[in-house]
Amino acid sequence: MASSESKLRITDVILRKESHMKAILFDLDGTISNSKEGITKCVQYALKSFGIEEPDLDKLDVFIGPPLVDSFMKYYGLSEEQAHEATAKYRERYVPIGMKECYMYPGTKECLETLKAQGYLIGMASSKPESYCKIILEEFGILEYFDDVVGATIDGSIRTKEQVLEEVFCRWADIPKNEVCLIGDTMFDVEGAKFVGVDCIAVP
């Protein structure tokens, strides 16, 4: 497995070979940002409000990537109503604390600079709420490299990677899908890309 230092440098090398690509979409969590600490501690906090103690943060890695509501139902048996309550509780800690418990993978800014200099259109497609994505990218000092940032909505009307990507192509309607590539780190990125008909590069 590649180290975090080389994660997006590998992506850069691959894209140089994919000369037909004109636009690149990046996932956020696990691709640009190592956000494990913030996400898992906020999930732990939300579960505790339901009387569920989960001391092992590694078990909560499954929450990194997919929509929170779906994960609370799938992994902890919460009803849909409870899952929405748990998501609200998650955000209660995430906004003031958890959002800052992350770091950008080394080499990311250099990769974005290179791709931008090569003339690529750069966007973000994340299942994290769009407003949160923009705050994090701004904190990392890389928001300026993104032509558009597309994420989930707080009300849940857009929450899956498929829905996020559909929103991307509502905004990028003039860009052929065969010239767009999604870069992500989970099966949700791969499956979402397949659903909308774009290539996907999976980073380790």
Side-chain angles (χ1 to χ4, degrees):
M1 179 178 288
S3 68
S4 60
E5 285 79 6
S6 62
K7 178 173 284 201
L8 289 187
R9 289 177 186 172
I10 289 173
T11 297
D12 186 20
V13 170
I14 293 172
L15 284 169
R16 290 187 189 195
K17 297 179 180 179
E18 298 291 337
S19 58
H20 66 286
M21 293 298 172
K22 300 295 188 295
I24 305 164
L25 292 167
F26 287 94
D27 174 49
L28 179 57
D29 295 324
T31 302
I32 285 177
S33 168
N34 185 326
S35 49
K36 174 178 177 172
E37 181 182 357
I39 290 175
T40 56
K41 285 184 176 179
C42 290
V43 171
Q44 185 183 58
Y45 175 83
L47 290 172
K48 189 173 183 179
S49 72
F50 284 85
I52 302 172
E53 296 288 343
E54 183 52 83
D56 188 354
L57 293 178
D58 288 339
K59 290 183 178 179
L60 302 179
D61 282 356
V62 292
F63 282 80
I64 303 172
L68 290 168
V69 170
D70 297 347
S71 294
F72 280 121
M73 291 191 291
K74 179 178 181 180
Y75 298 110
Y76 286 88
L78 301 188
S79 68
E80 185 171 358
E81 181 179 356
Q82 289 175 323
H84 282 288
E85 292 175 6
T87 298
K89 200 70 178 176
Y90 170 99
R91 289 172 179 160
E92 182 178 287
R93 183 186 186 279
Y94 185 78
V95 174
I97 301 172
M99 192 181 296
K100 300 173 184 177
E101 295 172 322
C102 66
Y103 64 85
M104 181 172 64
Y105 287 117
T108 298
K109 185 173 183 179
E110 292 80 3
C111 175
L112 293 170
E113 287 176 342
T114 299
L115 296 174
K116 201 69 178 175
Q118 292 175 349
Y120 287 101
L121 183 71
I122 299 176
M124 171 157 286
S126 171
S127 296
K128 186 185 291 295
E130 189 169 304
S131 57
Y132 297 176
C133 293
K134 290 178 179 178
I135 292 171
I136 292 168
L137 294 177
E138 181 68 37
E139 286 291 319
F140 286 162
I142 58 173
L143 180 59
E144 64 183 285
Y145 298 105
F146 288 83
D147 296 285
D148 203 352
V149 176
V150 183
T153 54
I154 296 292
D155 66 8
S157 59
I158 297 176
R159 77 183 194 193
T160 67
K161 185 55 63 97
E162 288 86 352
Q163 291 171 329
V164 170
L165 289 169
E166 286 179 329
E167 175 61 21
V168 167
F169 288 105
C170 285
R171 303 184 192 183
W172 289 11
D174 59 333
I175 302 175
K177 290 184 179 180
N178 65 355
E179 295 181 357
V180 180
C181 180
L182 172 67
I183 297 169
D185 68 307
T186 69
M187 66 176 183
F188 303 101
D189 298 303
V190 175
E191 292 174 353
K194 183 177 179 180
F195 179 82
V196 298
V198 300
D199 286 345
C200 181
I201 294 175
V203 293

